[in-house]
Amino acid sequence: MKTVILIGALGKMGQAALTGLGKHKVITAGRSGDVDHIVDITNEQSIRDLYKSVGQFDAVVNTVGVCEYANFIEMTEAQWMSTVMSKMMGQINLVRIGQEYIADGGSFTLISGILNVKPIPFAIADATTSGAIDTFTKCVAFEMPRNQRINVINPTVLTEAWDVYGEMMPGFEPVPSKLVGKAFERSVDGFITGEVIFVDA
């Protein structure tokens, strides 16, 4: 049994990840709500405080990354930076800081999203930062210390979230949370590293 920090545990993607982590001790974290630890991934000190508070852990699973949605020609620098600091730099910092605290042979699992390979209107910032995280994962795997692993889950929209996002994604086929949970399980419990794990219909 591993000790796994699950960030974004209360969201739909966090709940999906949880279905694949059942045999582990899961420590929940998020920006608010009924979680074990409060963390803001856009704040370096908040990330460091989380790792120090938890102590010993074997895996970090992140399922959050706030994205701004707007037409490209109308999107402001502030909207771009909000997305970059959360979806991209927030996740990079989880790894950059976390590698100091995680156990030898520990793993990081990040989140991107299918829109970097199947773009839709108004999602340019989401698509761009998802692509960046996919690339970051593939490249940084070669530099991770102490046999640490890193992978990223790149899912399409969840069946459980279709009522919220379905109108934005005509022609997409949603996937059930349990299937996405299997991808998280593969990342945490397997031996792969530097992989973009696509979950698409």
Side-chain angles (χ1 to χ4, degrees):
M1 184 174 70
K2 298 177 180 179
T3 298
V4 181
I5 301 174
L6 174 58
I7 301 170
L10 300 183
K12 284 185 167 60
M13 194 60 69
Q15 291 296 298
L18 198 57
T19 66
L21 302 174
K23 61 184 175 183
H24 300 301
K25 176 184 177 183
V26 177
I27 296 172
T28 59
R31 289 190 69 169
S32 60
D34 186 18
V35 291
D36 298 321
H37 296 272
I38 297 297
V39 65
D40 176 1
I41 70 167
T42 67
N43 183 293
E44 290 187 44
Q45 189 59 52
S46 181
I47 293 171
R48 195 171 294 277
D49 289 345
L50 168 67
Y51 292 145
K52 287 180 178 178
S53 296
V54 172
Q56 293 185 326
F57 58 94
D58 305 290
V60 175
V61 172
N62 181 61
T63 64
V64 298
V66 175
C67 296
E68 297 276 355
Y69 287 82
N71 187 296
F72 171 65
I73 62 172
E74 298 171 350
M75 197 161 195
T76 65
E77 182 181 22
Q79 288 176 303
W80 271 105
M81 290 308 298
S82 173
T83 306
V84 166
M85 292 308 296
S86 181
K87 187 74 177 274
M88 189 179 86
M89 283 311 306
Q91 296 200 87
I92 290 172
N93 282 335
L94 284 173
V95 180
R96 184 177 64 83
I97 297 168
Q99 56 83 23
E100 301 174 28
Y101 296 93
I102 200 167
D104 290 357
S107 71
F108 295 89
T109 305
L110 307 182
I111 190 79
S112 58
I114 205 68
L115 300 183
N116 69 318
V117 293
K118 293 183 176 180
I120 63 171
F122 305 105
I124 186 66
D126 188 343
T128 301
T129 50
S130 287
I133 289 299
D134 285 356
T135 300
F136 168 73
T137 297
K138 289 186 283 188
C139 295
V140 80
F142 294 103
E143 300 189 40
M144 296 300 291
R146 298 187 288 115
N147 294 316
Q148 294 168 16
R149 298 184 300 109
I150 181 170
N151 298 294
V152 56
I153 311 302
N154 185 317
T156 190
V157 63
L158 295 172
T159 302
E160 291 78 3
W162 186 249
D163 59 332
V164 177
Y165 297 105
E167 191 173 337
M168 297 170 57
M169 304 175 74
F172 284 71
E173 182 70 27
V175 295
S177 289
K178 187 174 181 181
L179 186 62
V180 177
K182 290 293 185 183
F184 282 99
E185 181 181 6
R186 183 180 169 212
S187 177
V188 172
D189 294 338
F191 71 109
I192 60 172
T193 189
E195 293 290 325
V196 179
I197 304 174
F198 287 95
V199 188
D200 196 9

